Amino acid sequence: MTDTELRAVLADRVAGVRARITDACRRAGRDPAGVTLVAVTKSVTPRVAAVAAELGCRDLGEGRPQELWKKAEAVPGVNWHLVGHLQRNKIDRTVPLAALVHSVDSERVLDALDAFGRKRGVPVPVLLEVNCSGEGSKGGFAPDAVPAACDRAGTLAGVTVRGLMTMAAYADDPQATRPTFVTLRELRDSMRTRSGLPLADLSMGMSNDFEVAVEEGATLVRVGTTLFEGLEPASGAA
Ligand SMILES: *Cc1c(COP(=O)(O)O)cnc(C)c1O
């Protein structure tokens, strides 16, 4: 695909996703400015990610730290989000490149990020990943482990917990994901009251279910397939 063709296809898809976000906001009485589209580029090449950035996608996401290193080097000047698991031995190299780590899934990782943030003197902005669906294949804190994690986070000078993230179980009918997003929002609300942390962000919603997530309060939606399906595949893409 030439640059021109790629740009045309992507421009159309980005506009389509943005329109669907706006419509979902309208249904929920929300301001679309309160929803950030994170374009998850894990399945495509840096070239495709660069075109997305040129088309106004200022927030790009990757699932794996090594891919984020590569893409952030190739596509500077945007906010890179890590949406997948962060191994502790990759913190030093990943955090300086990432605007937000969505996927803090254990107190061990939280503590390691805190140590990094204190060392550099600037707290690391993170979300706590919550396994709302209870699927064994998904990472994250069990909902009943979140209070302790928030209490702990409140004592750490090296991390700023900005909110919560979840992945819904795949469902043919996106409406079936709604209870998962309601659970995350309610958990966030009760953690706000409990911890006094602002917890402004809810990262929830992917290609299959982002409109439902927006209706239920998502501030960050993570969309890959709908934007990038069929475009130049990344080598070894997950
Ligand atoms: C891949 C991925 C996405 C994007 O999923 P799509 O269904 O392709 O939109 C979002 N969040 C996480 C954590 C992912 O790994």
Side-chain angles (χ1 to χ4, degrees):
M1 216 182 259
T2 67
D3 268 358
T4 310
E5 287 164 346
L6 177 56
R7 197 176 304 264
V9 170
L10 254 184
D12 205 49
R13 292 189 189 176
V14 170
V17 168
R18 290 202 189 282
R20 289 167 64 187
I21 291 171
T22 300
D23 285 347
C25 283
R26 193 167 297 133
R27 290 193 293 278
R30 299 185 58 199
D31 179 353
V35 181
T36 298
L37 170 62
V38 178
V40 178
T41 54
K42 69 186 179 200
S43 67
V44 289
T45 56
R47 172 184 173 242
V48 176
V51 172
E54 285 163 27
L55 290 168
C57 294
R58 306 314 297 167
D59 290 86
L60 302 182
E62 276 295 324
R64 293 184 180 160
Q66 297 96 314
E67 266 302 303
L68 189 146
W69 304 342
K70 199 167 94 187
K71 294 245 185 44
E73 191 184 359
V75 189
V78 298
N79 301 314
W80 280 100
H81 296 246
L82 182 72
V83 302
H85 178 66
L86 178 58
Q87 297 85 355
R88 286 178 299 161
N89 64 2
K90 301 201 170 65
I91 285 175
D92 288 18
R93 195 157 166 203
T94 307
V95 168
L97 300 171
L100 185 62
V101 176
H102 290 228
S103 39
V104 173
D105 52 9
S106 71
E107 292 207 17
R108 284 184 355 148
V109 172
L110 189 66
D111 286 349
L113 286 164
D114 172 57
F116 182 86
R118 279 186 287 114
K119 195 170 60 189
R120 75 169 179 180
V122 180
V124 181
V126 303
L127 306 177
L128 302 182
E129 179 173 355
V130 185
N131 184 346
C132 292
S133 64
E135 285 178 295
S137 59
K138 291 200 160 69
F141 292 94
D144 64 7
V146 173
C150 280
D151 288 351
R152 172 143 194 86
T155 69
L156 304 177
V159 288
T160 303
V161 178
R162 291 216 194 135
L164 305 179
M165 178 273 228
T166 201
M167 287 171 82
Y170 177 83
D172 287 330
D173 176 6
Q175 294 300 334
T177 62
R178 192 177 297 276
T180 296
F181 300 142
V182 171
T183 298
L184 194 73
R185 187 189 63 231
E186 290 179 349
L187 186 59
R188 187 278 304 272
D189 293 347
S190 74
M191 288 308 103
R192 239 182 203 167
T193 308
R194 177 192 175 100
S195 67
L197 299 168
L199 302 176
D201 282 311
L202 286 175
S203 171
M204 55 189 198
M206 311 184 1
S207 288
N208 188 51
D209 51 25
F210 68 89
E211 290 151 296
V212 178
V214 167
E215 288 170 12
E216 296 302 338
T219 64
L220 296 150
V221 293
R222 311 177 308 269
V223 179
T225 307
T226 300
L227 294 171
F228 299 117
E229 193 169 32
L231 305 180
E232 249 170 32
S235 49

